[in-house]
Amino acid sequence: MVSARAAVVEHPGAPFTVHDVTLDEPRPDEVLVRLVAAGLCHTDLGVQAGGIPFKLPGILGHEGAGIVERTGAAVTSVEPGDKVLLSFTSCGRCGSCRGGHPAYCDTWLPSNLITGTRDDGSATVTRDGVALGGHFFGQSSFATYALADERSVVKVAADADLELLAPLGCGVQTGFGAVWNILRPEPGSTLAVFGTGAVGLAALLAARLLPLAAIIAIDRVPERLALAAELGATHTINADIDDVAATLLTITGGRGVDNSVETTARPAVLRTAVDTLAARGAVAVIGAPPAGTEVALDVQGLLTGKRVIGVTLGDAEPQTLIPHLVALNRAGELPLDRLVRHYTLDELDAAARDMHEGRTIKPVIRFTAS
């Protein structure tokens, strides 16, 4: 058994509070990781608020980065001492997994969310002998140690800066993958990003590596729009000041936008993103509002070939995309240092407030020097 300190959410709406917990020893396909850092994502906050189902009391966190402490007998991809990034888990057996689309695994929801247990129903973590919700995205990384599925683990170089790279496991992978894996914009096309938080800026950073005619960033926070311009946006729109739809049509010469990425989880924004698409345009829907949220669309408008595509984790295969993102960061093409601000485990609630209020793009919890 492994003793750890972890941030626990007791019930929907409760704050993060730090407690002593106990983790299982690794099973054959599991890896015990000593956390160095973990990113805070809106999905964590959605669970904390009660908008996304998960077993509470429980431990969240799904952008872990750390050092392998021990491995199960069947693990072959990493060994003790390796630096790793943690991402989501998947079964590896279903058609989606075999086809290179593990983010759409048949068991994705119960394995990453909802149950808070291993697939066989057993708990990975307890507090005072009572099971807690764990195994969040195959890891639960808001703790000094995480018991991760091998399929959640991606090995990185020994000199990798884990405190900087942690967000690759979800937020950056999601935004980047939405552009590269799903929308795949054609040269000379236009792309709009609705919301310039970490996911939106990751999409923008992916787009700036392509020969596009325009990359348009839309937000309400002037500081975020200024950063978007510095990172490659050719145009910015302040939704508090400008008529977003009219401005997009002006920028695109009345055609509409060829591709859009919607990250805000606001139905009215999604409607605008769809309405402002050009013929045969596509919008990648990333923002996740509470279950049951609906949006009204103009069906006649869709008949021009518009596509509305739901996106989970950028349709990425982590063991393939994450090493590529690490390489882009090393080459200066993915400047994560412009997005990240560090906090301690005890400052998780403060980090969440700063993210909501626009003071921080991507909070990263730092456990120890890497």
Side-chain angles (χ1 to χ4, degrees):
M1 307 296 276
V2 180
S3 297
R5 295 279 287 168
V8 177
V9 176
E10 300 291 345
H11 54 79
F16 293 100
T17 54
V18 179
H19 298 264
D20 292 321
V21 299
T22 302
L23 277 66
D24 266 1
E25 287 291 333
R27 290 189 177 180
D29 60 348
E30 294 176 340
V31 179
L32 179 67
V33 178
R34 175 171 59 82
L35 272 298
V36 170
L40 175 64
C41 176
H42 279 288
T43 302
D44 299 306
L45 302 182
V47 174
Q48 182 190 32
I52 298 174
F54 182 70
K55 174 182 170 58
L56 299 178
I59 302 169
L60 306 177
H62 60 288
E63 294 179 343
I67 299 170
V68 175
E69 193 91 352
R70 290 196 286 283
T71 64
V75 171
T76 59
S77 61
V78 294
E79 59 186 27
D82 285 343
K83 285 188 173 182
V84 295
L85 301 179
L86 304 182
S87 189
F88 63 94
T89 191
S90 54
C91 76
R93 301 179 298 276
C94 69
S96 291
C97 286
R98 294 196 310 273
H101 303 279
Y104 302 110
C105 173
D106 287 354
T107 67
W108 198 93
L109 277 174
S111 294
N112 289 277
L113 294 168
I114 300 178
T115 63
T117 67
R118 297 181 176 99
D119 290 342
D120 65 2
S122 62
T124 58
V125 59
T126 60
R127 179 181 57 184
D128 298 328
V130 178
L132 294 174
H135 199 255
F136 188 60
F137 282 65
Q139 54 181 285
S140 284
S141 56
F142 287 158
T144 52
Y145 285 89
L147 191 60
D149 287 353
E150 184 180 15
R151 288 185 62 80
S152 297
V153 176
V154 179
K155 181 179 176 179
V156 295
D159 63 348
D161 184 349
L162 298 178
E163 295 179 358
L164 189 63
L165 298 175
L168 297 184
C170 179
V172 174
Q173 178 177 230
T174 297
F176 201 99
V179 174
W180 276 39
N181 293 338
I182 296 173
L183 294 177
R184 300 184 179 185
E186 295 181 359
S189 63
T190 56
L191 183 140
V193 178
F194 289 81
T196 56
V199 174
L201 289 175
L204 186 153
L205 289 168
R208 79 168 189 172
L209 297 173
L210 303 171
L212 303 186
I215 303 170
I216 308 154
I218 303 115
D219 207 301
R220 297 180 180 276
V221 181
E223 292 80 6
R224 290 190 173 190
L225 290 171
L227 178 59
E230 292 175 19
L231 294 179
T234 60
H235 302 76
T236 61
I237 301 174
N238 187 324
D240 274 344
I241 299 172
D242 305 312
D243 182 322
V244 174
T247 306
L248 285 171
L249 288 174
T250 298
I251 292 170
T252 59
R255 286 190 68 252
V257 181
D258 294 305
N259 293 283
S260 290
V261 178
E262 201 298 297
T263 73
T264 72
R266 297 179 181 273
V269 176
L270 175 56
R271 174 65 190 260
T272 299
V274 175
D275 287 348
T276 55
L277 285 175
R280 300 181 64 247
V283 55
V285 183
I286 297 175
T293 300
E294 297 181 353
V295 60
L297 296 176
D298 176 4
V299 176
Q300 286 280 354
L302 295 176
L303 301 183
T304 60
K306 293 180 181 181
R307 291 170 292 141
V308 181
I309 308 168
V311 178
T312 295
L313 287 150
D315 192 12
E317 199 281 311
Q319 283 74 19
T320 300
L321 181 57
I322 288 178
H324 183 63
L325 298 178
V326 172
L328 286 174
N329 175 257
R330 189 181 292 272
E333 299 287 355
L334 191 65
L336 299 174
D337 59 297
R338 303 297 305 277
L339 312 183
V340 165
R341 180 179 175 186
H342 291 106
Y343 298 80
T344 67
L345 188 63
D346 293 301
E347 294 173 331
L348 260 171
D349 286 310
R353 288 193 299 271
D354 286 350
M355 186 163 60
H356 277 311
E357 294 169 9
R359 289 192 293 268
T360 298
I361 299 292
K362 187 62 179 182
V364 171
I365 305 308
R366 182 160 48 193
F367 295 93
T368 183
S370 61

